[in-house]
Amino acid sequence: MTDRIWDVVVIGAGHAGVEAGLAAARLGADTLMITLDLDGIASMPCNPAIGGPAKGHLVREVDALGGEMGRAADATYLQIRVLNSSKGPAVQALRAQSDKLRYSAYMKAACEAEPKLGLQQGMVDAIAVAPGGTLRLTTAAGEVLAARAAVITTGTFLKGVCHTGDRRVIAGRAGAPSAEKLSDSLRALGLELHRLKTGTPPRVAADSIDYDRMAEEKGDPIELRFSFDGPAPTLPQLSCWQTRTTQAGHDVILANLHRSPMYSGAIEGIGPRYCPSIEDKVVRFRDKDSHPVFVEPEGVEQDVMYIQGCSTSMPEDVQEAFIKTIPGLERARIVRYGYAVEYDCIPATQLTTTLMTKCAPGLFTAGQLNGTSGYEEAAAQGLVAGINAARYALGRPAVVLPRAESYVATLIDDLVTKEIRDPYRMLTSRSEHRLMLRQDNADQRLTPLGRRLGLVGDERWARFEAKLAAIAEGRAWLRAHRINPGSPEAARLAAATGEPVDRSLTLEEALRRPAVTVAHLLTAVGREPEALPRPIAEQLAIEVKYEGYIRRQVAAIERQSHLEDRAIPEDLDYAAITGLSREAQDKLGRVRPRSIGQAGRVGGVTPADVSLLMVHLELRRRASAHA
């Protein structure tokens, strides 16, 4: 065993591991990140894309807190666009197609440049709690590492098994070994493990595709970024393409269903509900004669296209026959077959809201190991776990993000309170406060916290304050200027929007009209439409148009806050609460929620149970006061 004691050791260097390692090191903790392959840091084994509905919100929030994912995505995207642009601002989200090799290289360089972050190639086989509370990590090479805190971010590698037809390979993903021993060590610490499954589609050679038979999808023509402070994009922008499956392809799947490991019983793990395999889609939706397929590039110099929507573990010959039934792919040459990977995960109800395990102080987990799917969900957890691991190691209080203030907090709160059996994917509908949790205001919600933690530097903070000042100045301008009936300004506004001005209006009042934009107002008063930067104009429009709805949501959050602030003692004996249902006793005893508000979100706990819990806590408080 080495004499050195690391503050934090991060096991794994995927999207969760990178954010955990960078956050811990940037907070001043001596951090080591150990991974199977130093050239595979922040690898994109599935679709090389970042963002999407709710996922794009997570990326913006990670960036606002001082994380790296948004900057990496901006530096390496091949295409970017706003999804749901015709809908309200709460569900609009950025999605970018990334150059997978450049994304990984960017993240590796970021890790190598961090002074307090060390990198090591290797596999951790065991974790134990040493006398005095430090953690002992034993590698496959026999080296013993000591750490005050550790973050496990092993993704799909714990006892990973890859399936293609009846072929079964022990691997964490194609071409990578499985971590076979660490699961047993986690069980020895007292953690329960389950099996989950995910999958990936075939990739085809780009020059074997007939693009004329597909619909082209270009990125948005304006420059867009995930990061509020990120690098300018530099790569050439490439198109994606859309086609659809056919009934002929569905017939191929159904005729060979008995050869699918999903239906033969070879796979035991539960797959993602919101990203099913193509065979699952065909079986579950037999009334549909086609499903959308998106053909997307993997990199500037890579002659490979990702076939999104066709995740599969069918045998190679079935994949060949099926792919050739899709318009545009009749002559496609598969260069990598799809497969499913089955792996161990930890039901996250065994964690606190800091992402520390309840059975082993100082041991944190993040990413797919916690039962989630997606790079973005992993990065969000990794950032929080890294922050709290560093603070634990340095003797500082933990950080708990309020559910109402971010999707990051919503994700973590859901994981640690709800019994989730299939891979969790973030959706905007999972938050009861989504009008407040927009992607455009993620910096306003979270950058002050990132600053207080020490993850937001002076230069970025100065730019953030300048943005707030610009928004305040713009709002004051809207309130101070008026448009009067019969004026040239009124005529120009009516000509641009089709809405006459029949009474004196402030610009703010005019902006509340659905058809009116900030650009319309600028033009009406004789200013250039670009006089206000686009992000500022968008922020002003959202604040003004949705002000009433936002005010009501703020009031709802304030009404709920007294339940979120009402703490539950850690030693509470739920079995002793008279009238509490057996299910509630069991669920609350296992989850051990930190507050009344969180207790109400535990699966199986009813409003009546919460009322009884509140009465019990009040009686306990009174008894303590009179003791």
Side-chain angles (χ1 to χ4, degrees):
M1 181 174 178
T2 60
D3 293 332
R4 180 172 187 174
I5 300 179
W6 295 91
D7 288 325
V8 178
V9 172
V10 178
I11 303 169
H15 301 276
V18 163
E19 296 293 352
L22 289 172
R26 289 168 177 172
L27 291 180
D30 287 322
T31 306
L32 174 68
M33 187 161 62
I34 183 167
T35 182
L36 292 172
D37 181 9
L38 287 175
D39 292 325
I41 289 175
S43 174
M44 291 179 151
C46 201
N47 193 358
I50 298 293
K55 291 172 174 283
H57 293 67
L58 285 175
V59 180
R60 279 277 177 92
E61 291 180 353
V62 166
D63 177 76
L65 284 166
E68 199 67 32
M69 175 173 267
R71 298 172 63 85
D74 289 345
T76 61
Y77 71 67
L78 303 170
Q79 183 193 104
I80 193 167
R81 56 199 179 100
V82 178
L83 303 185
N84 297 327
S85 58
S86 63
K87 299 181 180 179
V91 296
Q92 293 176 9
L94 284 178
R95 182 185 185 273
Q97 194 71 20
S98 298
D99 185 304
K100 66 186 298 181
L101 297 182
R102 283 181 169 84
Y103 185 96
S104 178
Y106 176 100
M107 283 300 202
K108 182 183 181 185
C111 292
E112 290 173 338
E114 196 58 47
K116 296 185 78 67
L117 178 60
L119 304 179
Q120 179 175 325
Q121 188 159 297
M123 179 185 291
V124 173
D125 277 350
I127 299 175
V129 180
T134 58
L135 300 173
R136 291 168 54 97
L137 291 75
T138 305
T139 71
E143 181 183 8
V144 178
L145 303 168
R148 295 180 177 87
V151 185
I152 310 176
T153 66
T154 47
T156 61
F157 280 76
L158 291 189
K159 292 189 181 295
V161 179
C162 292
H163 298 264
T164 305
D166 59 3
R167 185 161 55 87
R168 184 175 182 273
V169 179
I170 304 300
R173 61 172 175 254
S178 169
E180 290 295 293
K181 296 182 179 180
L182 188 55
S183 289
D184 298 331
S185 178
L186 296 179
R187 286 192 178 93
L189 286 172
L191 288 166
E192 175 189 354
L193 275 69
H194 289 171
R195 295 290 277 178
L196 288 181
K197 164 259 175 188
T198 190
T200 191
R203 275 73 157 180
V204 304
D207 60 3
S208 68
I209 297 172
D210 183 358
Y211 298 100
D212 290 339
R213 302 205 60 200
M214 301 178 179
E216 185 176 13
E217 289 192 341
K218 295 183 178 182
D220 286 352
I222 59 175
E223 183 180 298
L224 298 168
R225 301 188 195 182
F226 281 105
S227 177
F228 295 98
D229 189 39
T234 59
L235 297 182
Q237 299 301 283
L238 304 181
S239 292
C240 296
W241 306 84
Q242 185 174 4
T243 181
R244 297 187 72 87
T245 63
T246 63
Q247 188 58 55
H250 296 185
D251 292 341
V252 170
I253 296 290
L254 293 172
N256 292 277
L257 206 59
H258 60 287
R259 302 176 64 194
S260 166
M262 280 186 59
Y263 288 90
S264 69
I267 292 178
E268 299 176 1
I270 301 172
R273 184 186 319 173
Y274 299 102
C275 188
S277 66
I278 187 62
E279 49 264 45
D280 204 17
K281 290 181 191 175
V282 170
V283 170
R284 287 167 55 190
F285 307 106
R286 294 200 186 212
D287 58 316
K288 296 186 179 297
D289 57 12
S290 71
H291 296 283
V293 174
F294 299 91
V295 180
E296 301 171 327
E298 290 205 335
V300 174
E301 282 111 18
Q302 295 187 74
D303 183 31
V304 179
M305 300 294 278
Y306 182 94
I307 312 301
Q308 184 192 349
C310 292
S311 173
T312 184
S313 57
M314 296 292 276
E316 287 94 336
D317 63 300
V318 178
Q319 294 187 40
E320 291 276 6
F322 167 72
I323 283 293
K324 290 183 179 354
T325 67
I326 298 174
L329 300 180
E330 292 90 347
R331 293 183 296 277
R333 185 173 72 258
I334 296 179
V335 297
R336 185 184 302 169
Y337 292 100
Y339 63 91
V341 58
E342 198 175 9
Y343 56 96
D344 283 349
C345 75
I346 296 172
T349 50
Q350 300 170 98
L351 311 175
T352 69
T353 48
T354 68
L355 295 181
M356 186 169 72
T357 61
K358 296 173 183 175
C359 63
L363 182 62
F364 297 77
T365 63
Q368 280 184 278
L369 176 63
N370 287 347
T372 61
S373 67
Y375 309 143
E376 303 84 357
E377 289 88 344
Q381 294 171 73
L383 179 67
V384 172
I387 289 170
N388 280 317
R391 293 178 70 86
Y392 180 91
L394 299 174
R396 300 170 187 164
V399 173
V400 176
L401 302 178
R403 179 184 175 93
E405 293 182 8
S406 67
Y407 277 103
V408 173
T410 302
L411 163 67
I412 293 172
D413 186 70
D414 280 354
L415 290 176
V416 302
T417 58
K418 299 176 181 178
E419 293 187 333
I420 298 167
R421 295 296 178 180
D422 57 292
Y424 179 103
R425 176 181 180 178
M426 178 50 70
L427 306 167
T428 55
S429 59
R430 294 194 189 276
S431 175
E432 58 273 38
H433 309 301
R434 64 182 185 175
L435 187 55
M436 295 292 296
L437 308 185
R438 306 181 310 275
Q439 65 169 11
D440 64 273
N441 69 353
D443 58 339
Q444 294 179 60
R445 290 184 281 113
L446 296 173
T447 296
L449 174 60
R451 175 70 170 176
R452 291 195 299 272
L453 292 173
L455 292 175
V456 173
D458 293 342
E459 187 176 343
R460 177 164 184 171
W461 183 249
R463 278 196 282 268
F464 171 70
E465 289 188 312
K467 178 183 175 180
L468 293 185
I471 293 172
E473 183 180 341
R475 196 69 186 268
W477 175 74
L478 290 172
R479 289 170 175 165
H481 289 76
R482 307 188 72 85
I483 294 181
N484 296 308
S487 67
E489 292 85 357
R492 286 193 288 265
L493 185 62
T497 65
E499 294 193 13
V501 177
D502 53 9
R503 65 181 180 87
S504 180
L505 296 170
T506 65
L507 297 185
E508 184 179 66
E509 290 171 324
L511 187 56
R512 292 198 178 100
R513 295 181 173 186
V516 177
T517 67
V518 173
H520 289 146
L521 296 177
L522 289 167
T523 301
V525 299
R527 297 178 64 182
E528 291 295 324
E530 298 80 19
L532 279 177
R534 182 174 49 81
I536 304 300
E538 289 177 352
Q539 191 81 67
L540 288 171
I542 292 169
E543 286 185 3
V544 171
K545 291 181 184 296
Y546 294 89
E547 187 170 34
Y549 299 102
I550 292 171
R551 190 182 299 116
R552 285 198 289 271
Q553 197 154 98
V554 169
I557 292 171
E558 290 175 349
R559 287 194 298 271
Q560 178 70 15
S561 64
H562 76 283
L563 297 179
E564 301 296 336
D565 295 338
R566 189 163 181 182
I568 298 176
E570 293 184 7
D571 63 348
L572 185 64
D573 181 6
Y574 292 98
I577 301 178
T578 304
L580 202 62
S581 70
R582 290 291 298 274
E583 182 180 12
Q585 289 177 348
D586 177 60
K587 297 287 181 66
L588 292 170
R590 284 192 285 119
V591 173
R592 305 210 72 81
R594 61 181 177 80
S595 69
I596 292 293
Q598 193 176 50
R601 295 189 290 272
V602 174
V605 175
T606 67
D609 294 323
V610 173
S611 295
L612 286 169
L613 177 58
M614 293 174 67
V615 169
H616 178 84
L617 291 176
E618 178 61 20
L619 292 175
R620 174 174 164 146
R621 184 193 66 79
R622 291 179 182 180
S624 176
H626 288 89

